Amino acid sequence: MDIPPALLQFLGSLVAILALAGLAFALRLGPPPRLQNEQAARTAADEAVSGFQPVAIALDRDGAGALMRDTEGRILLLRQHGSHFAGRLLTNAAVVTRDGDALLIDTAEKRYGAARLQVPDPSAWMQAIEAIQ
């Protein structure tokens, strides 16, 4: 059986592409995660800080993160971290500044870094973060 070289090249390329796609899927590579709604944010918050029950949620306009406040007044910052969301309870070391209609929030943790979120009512969230004791 004589197989044309072009067909062998095509089949070899197809196998390589499928192998790379499978590897990317296994490594969870792909587009960054997005918070589509408040329920997704609640789930991500509970994964980041077990038992955190937000009473106020401000989702980033693009779904890249969220700010949340619970009944105790604690504020949780969620931001993308690889293929999931990472969260930090903000302390009085956190610094927040305005960048147009967005907030720049620096947690003061080098390993977590800063986040830029476009949330509804940024002034109110800025005041809440600045008031953390």
Side-chain angles (χ1 to χ4, degrees), residues 17-27:
I17 289 169
L18 292 174
L20 288 174
L23 180 62
F25 180 77
L27 294 174

Side-chain angles (χ1 to χ4, degrees), residues 8-45:
L8 280 176
Q9 183 179 5
F10 171 75
L11 292 175
S13 296
L14 183 61
V15 168
I17 289 169
L18 292 174
L20 288 174
L23 180 62
F25 180 77
L27 294 174
R28 295 184 175 183
L29 300 177
R34 297 284 182 224
L35 294 172
Q36 300 296 332
N37 53 42
E38 286 190 2
Q39 185 54 45
R42 288 178 189 279
T43 301

Side-chain angles (χ1 to χ4, degrees), residues 73 75 90-92 94 96 124-133:
I75 298 176
L90 298 180
T91 66
N92 60 355
V96 61
W125 283 100
M126 188 171 181
Q127 290 175 353
I129 294 168
E130 289 173 339
I132 295 173
Q133 299 280 329

Side-chain angles (χ1 to χ4, degrees), residues 22-72:
L23 180 62
F25 180 77
L27 294 174
R28 295 184 175 183
L29 300 177
R34 297 284 182 224
L35 294 172
Q36 300 296 332
N37 53 42
E38 286 190 2
Q39 185 54 45
R42 288 178 189 279
T43 301
D46 189 54
E47 290 172 0
V49 178
S50 182
F52 189 86
Q53 296 293 322
V55 295
I57 300 174
L59 294 174
D60 176 65
R61 183 177 67 197
D62 297 328
L67 286 169
M68 305 175 167
R69 188 178 61 249
D70 68 2
T71 56
E72 298 173 30

Side-chain angles (χ1 to χ4, degrees), residues 91-110:
T91 66
N92 60 355
V95 176
V96 61
T97 56
R98 286 286 294 266
D99 179 22
D101 61 345
L103 292 178
L104 295 174
I105 305 157
D106 184 357
T107 63
E109 290 184 39
K110 288 183 182 180

